[in-house]
Amino acid sequence: MLYLVGLGLGDATDITVKGLQVEEFYGKELTLAERDLVEQEADEILKHAKETDVAFLVVGDPFGATTHSDLVLRAVRAGIPYQVVHNASVMNAVGCCGLQMYNFGETVSVVFWTDSWRPESFYDKILQNRAAGLHTLCLLDLKVKEQSLENLMRGKKIYEPPRFMTAAQAAAQLLEIIRRRNECGQDPGLTEDTLCVGVARLGAADQEIRTATLAQMSLCDLGTPLHSLVIIGRLHPLEADMLRLHARDCDATLTHLRRVQGSEDTAAPGCH
Protein backbone atom coordinates (compact mmCIF):
# COMPACT_ATOMS: atom_id res chain seq x y z
CA MET A 1 0.00 0.00 0.00
CA LEU A 2 1.14 3.54 -0.77
CA TYR A 3 -0.03 6.05 1.82
CA LEU A 4 0.11 9.78 1.08
CA VAL A 5 -0.03 11.54 4.43
CA GLY A 6 -0.42 15.29 4.88
CA LEU A 7 1.64 16.74 7.71
CA GLY A 8 -0.12 20.10 7.97
CA LEU A 9 1.52 23.50 8.12
CA GLY A 10 3.17 24.04 11.48
CA ASP A 11 5.38 21.18 12.65
CA ALA A 12 5.34 17.40 13.12
CA THR A 13 2.63 17.62 15.78
CA ASP A 14 0.12 18.83 13.18
CA ILE A 15 -0.26 15.35 11.74
CA THR A 16 -3.82 14.04 12.13
CA VAL A 17 -4.69 11.11 14.38
CA LYS A 18 -5.52 9.08 11.27
CA GLY A 19 -2.18 9.99 9.72
CA LEU A 20 -0.35 9.01 12.88
CA GLN A 21 -2.13 5.65 12.92
CA VAL A 22 -1.32 5.03 9.26
CA GLU A 23 2.40 5.73 9.44
CA GLU A 24 4.67 4.56 12.21
CA PHE A 25 7.87 6.22 11.09
CA TYR A 26 8.08 8.93 13.74
CA GLY A 27 11.19 8.16 15.75
CA LYS A 28 12.53 5.99 12.92
CA GLU A 29 14.81 6.75 10.03
CA LEU A 30 13.20 8.79 7.27
CA THR A 31 14.25 9.17 3.65
CA LEU A 32 14.22 12.78 2.52
CA ALA A 33 12.50 12.72 -0.87
CA GLU A 34 13.74 15.80 -2.67
CA ARG A 35 12.24 17.07 -5.89
CA ASP A 36 14.58 15.07 -8.13
CA LEU A 37 13.64 11.81 -6.41
CA VAL A 38 9.89 12.46 -6.52
CA GLU A 39 9.80 13.79 -10.08
CA GLN A 40 12.46 11.71 -11.80
CA GLU A 41 12.82 8.56 -9.70
CA ALA A 42 9.23 7.96 -8.55
CA ASP A 43 9.53 4.31 -9.55
CA GLU A 44 12.06 3.90 -6.75
CA ILE A 45 9.37 4.89 -4.22
CA LEU A 46 6.78 2.65 -5.81
CA LYS A 47 9.13 -0.33 -5.99
CA HIS A 48 9.06 -0.61 -2.21
CA ALA A 49 5.29 -0.04 -2.08
CA LYS A 50 4.80 -3.25 -4.08
CA GLU A 51 6.30 -5.26 -1.24
CA THR A 52 5.38 -3.36 1.93
CA ASP A 53 3.51 -0.32 3.23
CA VAL A 54 5.18 2.95 2.25
CA ALA A 55 4.11 6.26 3.77
CA PHE A 56 4.88 9.32 1.66
CA LEU A 57 4.82 12.32 4.00
CA VAL A 58 3.92 15.69 2.51
CA VAL A 59 4.03 19.11 4.14
CA GLY A 60 0.52 20.58 3.99
CA ASP A 61 -1.91 18.43 2.01
CA PRO A 62 -0.80 15.60 -0.32
CA PHE A 63 -2.54 17.16 -3.31
CA GLY A 64 -1.06 20.61 -2.87
CA ALA A 65 1.33 19.75 -5.73
CA THR A 66 0.64 18.17 -9.12
CA THR A 67 3.76 16.00 -8.66
CA HIS A 68 1.86 13.93 -6.12
CA SER A 69 -1.03 13.37 -8.52
CA ASP A 70 1.53 11.93 -10.92
CA LEU A 71 2.74 9.59 -8.15
CA VAL A 72 -0.81 8.32 -7.60
CA LEU A 73 -1.33 7.71 -11.32
CA ARG A 74 1.92 5.76 -11.47
CA ALA A 75 0.82 3.66 -8.50
CA VAL A 76 -2.54 2.87 -10.13
CA ARG A 77 -0.84 1.84 -13.38
CA ALA A 78 1.48 -0.41 -11.38
CA GLY A 79 -1.45 -2.03 -9.58
CA ILE A 80 -0.46 -0.58 -6.19
CA PRO A 81 -3.35 0.44 -3.92
CA TYR A 82 -3.11 3.85 -2.28
CA GLN A 83 -4.76 5.80 0.50
CA VAL A 84 -4.71 9.55 1.13
CA VAL A 85 -4.78 11.23 4.56
CA HIS A 86 -5.60 14.90 4.09
CA ASN A 87 -4.45 17.82 6.21
CA ALA A 88 -4.46 21.62 6.22
CA SER A 89 -2.66 23.47 3.43
CA VAL A 90 -2.16 27.13 2.59
CA MET A 91 -5.06 26.81 0.14
CA ASN A 92 -7.61 26.62 2.95
CA ALA A 93 -5.70 27.86 6.01
CA VAL A 94 -5.21 31.28 4.42
CA GLY A 95 -8.82 31.93 5.47
CA CYS A 96 -7.36 32.83 8.88
CA CYS A 97 -6.66 36.30 7.49
CA GLY A 98 -10.40 36.94 7.51
CA LEU A 99 -11.23 36.61 3.82
CA GLN A 100 -13.99 34.15 2.94
CA MET A 101 -12.79 31.15 0.97
CA TYR A 102 -15.56 31.20 -1.62
CA ASN A 103 -14.50 34.75 -2.58
CA PHE A 104 -11.11 33.58 -3.87
CA GLY A 105 -10.36 33.20 -7.56
CA GLU A 106 -7.52 31.38 -9.32
CA THR A 107 -4.38 30.91 -7.24
CA VAL A 108 -1.18 32.25 -8.84
CA SER A 109 2.54 31.69 -8.34
CA VAL A 110 4.91 34.66 -8.13
CA VAL A 111 8.40 33.69 -9.27
CA PHE A 112 11.75 35.29 -8.60
CA TRP A 113 12.73 37.58 -11.46
CA THR A 114 16.16 37.50 -13.07
CA ASP A 115 17.91 40.12 -15.19
CA SER A 116 16.71 38.42 -18.36
CA TRP A 117 13.40 36.82 -17.28
CA ARG A 118 10.59 38.89 -15.80
CA PRO A 119 7.27 37.18 -16.53
CA GLU A 120 4.00 39.00 -15.81
CA SER A 121 1.44 36.27 -16.53
CA PHE A 122 0.57 35.97 -12.81
CA TYR A 123 -0.28 39.68 -12.76
CA ASP A 124 -2.87 39.32 -15.53
CA LYS A 125 -4.52 36.47 -13.62
CA ILE A 126 -4.79 38.75 -10.57
CA LEU A 127 -6.55 41.32 -12.76
CA GLN A 128 -8.95 38.65 -14.05
CA ASN A 129 -9.83 37.68 -10.50
CA ARG A 130 -10.36 41.29 -9.44
CA ALA A 131 -12.58 41.96 -12.46
CA ALA A 132 -14.87 39.30 -10.97
CA GLY A 133 -14.51 40.83 -7.49
CA LEU A 134 -12.41 37.92 -6.26
CA HIS A 135 -9.33 37.75 -4.03
CA THR A 136 -6.08 36.18 -5.26
CA LEU A 137 -3.81 33.92 -3.23
CA CYS A 138 -0.23 34.37 -4.42
CA LEU A 139 2.10 31.48 -3.66
CA LEU A 140 5.65 32.82 -3.46
CA ASP A 141 8.73 31.32 -5.07
CA LEU A 142 11.37 29.36 -3.20
CA LYS A 143 14.72 28.10 -4.37
CA VAL A 144 16.09 25.07 -2.54
CA LYS A 145 18.98 22.97 -3.88
CA GLU A 146 19.12 25.07 -7.04
CA GLN A 147 22.24 25.09 -9.18
CA SER A 148 23.76 28.02 -11.01
CA LEU A 149 23.73 27.73 -14.81
CA GLU A 150 27.51 27.39 -14.80
CA ASN A 151 27.56 24.51 -12.30
CA LEU A 152 24.62 22.85 -14.04
CA MET A 153 26.41 22.93 -17.40
CA ARG A 154 29.60 21.58 -15.84
CA GLY A 155 27.73 18.83 -14.02
CA LYS A 156 28.92 20.01 -10.63
CA LYS A 157 26.68 19.13 -7.68
CA ILE A 158 27.16 22.56 -6.12
CA TYR A 159 23.99 24.22 -4.92
CA GLU A 160 23.09 27.85 -4.36
CA PRO A 161 22.04 29.01 -0.86
CA PRO A 162 18.27 28.55 -0.35
CA ARG A 163 16.07 31.57 -1.05
CA PHE A 164 12.47 32.16 -0.03
CA MET A 165 10.48 35.04 -1.51
CA THR A 166 8.99 37.38 1.07
CA ALA A 167 5.66 39.17 0.91
CA ALA A 168 7.64 42.42 0.63
CA GLN A 169 9.55 41.15 -2.42
CA ALA A 170 6.34 39.97 -4.08
CA ALA A 171 4.69 43.35 -3.46
CA ALA A 172 7.75 45.11 -4.87
CA GLN A 173 7.53 43.06 -8.09
CA LEU A 174 3.85 43.93 -8.43
CA LEU A 175 4.69 47.62 -7.95
CA GLU A 176 7.34 47.34 -10.68
CA ILE A 177 4.75 45.93 -13.10
CA ILE A 178 2.36 48.75 -12.19
CA ARG A 179 5.11 51.31 -12.85
CA ARG A 180 6.05 49.78 -16.21
CA ARG A 181 2.45 49.62 -17.42
CA ASN A 182 1.82 53.21 -16.37
CA GLU A 183 4.90 54.29 -18.33
CA CYS A 184 3.55 52.45 -21.40
CA GLY A 185 0.23 54.27 -21.10
CA GLN A 186 -1.63 51.12 -20.03
CA ASP A 187 -4.17 50.87 -17.26
CA PRO A 188 -2.34 48.65 -14.76
CA GLY A 189 -5.55 47.64 -12.98
CA LEU A 190 -3.80 47.88 -9.60
CA THR A 191 -2.22 50.83 -7.80
CA GLU A 192 0.28 51.19 -5.00
CA ASP A 193 -2.76 51.69 -2.74
CA THR A 194 -4.37 48.35 -3.62
CA LEU A 195 -5.04 46.43 -0.41
CA CYS A 196 -3.30 43.15 0.25
CA VAL A 197 -2.59 40.73 3.09
CA GLY A 198 0.80 39.26 3.90
CA VAL A 199 0.87 35.93 5.73
CA ALA A 200 4.02 34.40 7.21
CA ARG A 201 4.64 30.98 8.83
CA LEU A 202 1.00 29.99 8.48
CA GLY A 203 -0.01 27.43 11.08
CA ALA A 204 2.99 28.04 13.35
CA ALA A 205 2.78 29.52 16.84
CA ASP A 206 4.46 32.71 15.59
CA GLN A 207 2.44 33.14 12.40
CA GLU A 208 2.15 36.73 11.22
CA ILE A 209 -0.74 38.36 9.33
CA ARG A 210 -0.55 41.92 8.05
CA THR A 211 -3.13 43.98 6.15
CA ALA A 212 -1.60 46.84 4.17
CA THR A 213 -1.46 48.58 0.81
CA LEU A 214 0.97 47.23 -1.78
CA ALA A 215 3.29 50.18 -1.13
CA GLN A 216 3.23 49.52 2.61
CA MET A 217 3.66 45.76 2.15
CA SER A 218 6.79 46.27 0.06
CA LEU A 219 8.40 47.73 3.20
CA CYS A 220 7.04 45.18 5.70
CA ASP A 221 9.33 42.69 7.39
CA LEU A 222 7.18 39.70 8.30
CA GLY A 223 10.13 37.66 9.50
CA THR A 224 11.28 34.19 8.52
CA PRO A 225 9.71 32.04 5.75
CA LEU A 226 7.38 30.83 4.44
CA HIS A 227 5.34 33.82 3.17
CA SER A 228 2.21 34.19 1.05
CA LEU A 229 0.48 37.28 -0.31
CA VAL A 230 -3.22 37.87 -0.96
CA ILE A 231 -4.41 40.60 -3.32
CA ILE A 232 -7.83 41.72 -2.17
CA GLY A 233 -10.84 41.94 -4.46
CA ARG A 234 -14.31 43.17 -3.50
CA LEU A 235 -14.82 43.10 0.25
CA HIS A 236 -17.83 42.00 2.26
CA PRO A 237 -18.26 44.17 5.40
CA LEU A 238 -17.46 41.16 7.60
CA GLU A 239 -14.22 40.61 5.70
CA ALA A 240 -13.31 44.27 6.17
CA ASP A 241 -13.89 43.94 9.92
CA MET A 242 -11.62 40.89 10.06
CA LEU A 243 -8.86 42.51 8.01
CA ARG A 244 -8.95 45.50 10.35
CA LEU A 245 -7.65 43.19 13.09
CA HIS A 246 -4.38 42.89 11.18
CA ALA A 247 -3.94 46.49 10.04
CA ARG A 248 -1.54 47.34 12.88
CA ASP A 249 -2.90 50.78 13.83
CA CYS A 250 -2.12 52.23 10.43
CA ASP A 251 -4.72 55.00 10.05
CA ALA A 252 -4.49 55.00 6.27
CA THR A 253 -5.21 51.30 5.96
CA LEU A 254 -7.97 51.40 8.56
CA THR A 255 -9.67 54.30 6.78
CA HIS A 256 -9.29 52.43 3.51
CA LEU A 257 -10.99 49.38 4.99
CA ARG A 258 -13.90 51.38 6.39
CA ARG A 259 -14.84 52.38 2.87
CA VAL A 260 -15.25 48.68 1.97
CA GLN A 261 -13.86 48.45 -1.53
CA GLY A 262 -15.87 48.05 -4.66
CA SER A 263 -14.16 46.77 -7.79
CA GLU A 264 -11.79 49.76 -7.81
CA ASP A 265 -9.44 51.05 -5.13
CA THR A 266 -9.86 54.34 -3.34
CA ALA A 267 -6.55 56.13 -2.87
CA ALA A 268 -5.03 56.01 0.59
CA PRO A 269 -1.97 57.87 1.86
CA GLY A 270 1.09 56.06 3.13
CA CYS A 271 1.65 54.76 6.65
CA HIS A 272 3.54 57.01 9.08
Side-chain angles (χ1 to χ4, degrees):
M1 175 75 80
L2 173 66
Y3 293 95
L4 293 93
V5 181
L7 296 179
L9 291 168
D11 55 36
T13 63
D14 281 345
I15 192 169
T16 64
V17 173
K18 180 185 290 185
L20 198 57
Q21 290 172 341
V22 164
E23 61 86 19
E24 300 173 347
F25 292 98
Y26 273 62
K28 298 184 180 180
E29 184 178 355
L30 296 174
T31 300
L32 181 61
E34 295 172 342
R35 180 180 297 179
D36 287 349
L37 174 61
V38 179
E39 293 183 353
Q40 300 174 23
E41 302 177 37
D43 291 341
E44 191 67 23
I45 298 173
L46 296 177
K47 179 178 69 175
H48 298 291
K50 288 181 178 180
E51 304 165 356
T52 186
D53 289 342
V54 171
F56 185 67
L57 311 181
V58 182
V59 174
D61 186 82
F63 288 117
T66 53
T67 301
H68 306 145
S69 297
D70 176 68
L71 189 61
V72 166
L73 291 173
R74 287 171 180 263
V76 171
R77 286 195 289 267
I80 300 169
Y82 73 93
Q83 181 177 330
V84 179
V85 181
H86 294 285
N87 209 321
S89 77
V90 64
M91 303 292 286
N92 64 306
V94 73
C96 70
C97 73
L99 297 174
Q100 297 166 5
M101 297 310 302
Y102 50 79
N103 287 335
F104 277 78
E106 181 179 354
T107 298
V108 305
S109 296
V110 181
V111 298
F112 278 116
W113 281 346
T114 67
D115 292 338
S116 59
W117 188 61
R118 298 194 164 201
E120 298 184 5
S121 56
F122 65 87
Y123 186 92
D124 294 318
K125 291 179 181 178
I126 292 172
L127 298 186
Q128 291 171 12
N129 285 341
R130 279 174 59 84
L134 302 174
H135 315 308
T136 306
L137 171 60
C138 302
L139 303 179
L140 308 187
D141 202 2
L142 55 87
K143 302 290 186 184
V144 178
K145 294 205 74 173
E146 295 278 337
Q147 292 179 273
S148 68
L149 182 59
E150 180 182 355
N151 287 327
L152 188 63
M153 293 178 65
R154 293 183 177 182
K156 293 183 177 180
K157 292 288 186 178
I158 301 175
Y159 300 101
E160 299 293 295
R163 291 190 297 152
F164 303 89
M165 183 180 287
T166 65
Q169 289 172 314
Q173 286 193 184
L174 289 169
L175 291 171
E176 176 63 18
I177 296 173
I178 291 169
R179 183 189 65 78
R180 289 206 305 244
R181 295 195 177 190
N182 276 325
E183 288 178 351
C184 293
Q186 302 176 23
D187 178 6
L190 306 179
T191 73
E192 65 177 16
D193 298 314
T194 295
L195 282 177
C196 60
V197 184
V199 180
R201 299 172 302 285
L202 189 60
D206 64 343
Q207 77 173 22
E208 182 79 20
I209 304 173
R210 187 76 56 86
T211 305
T213 66
L214 276 175
Q216 293 160 2
M217 188 61 67
S218 69
L219 303 175
C220 283
D221 180 3
L222 299 185
T224 55
L226 294 170
H227 291 195
S228 299
L229 183 68
V230 179
I231 307 302
I232 296 173
R234 186 179 299 115
L235 282 174
H236 184 278
L238 182 61
E239 291 178 306
D241 287 342
M242 288 294 292
L243 290 179
R244 206 172 285 127
L245 298 176
H246 313 298
R248 290 297 181 90
D249 299 323
C250 175
D251 290 339
T253 306
L254 291 171
T255 300
H256 206 35
L257 283 166
R258 290 188 187 103
R259 295 190 182 112
V260 185
Q261 291 176 296
S263 58
E264 297 181 354
D265 291 302
T266 305
C271 245
H272 300 288

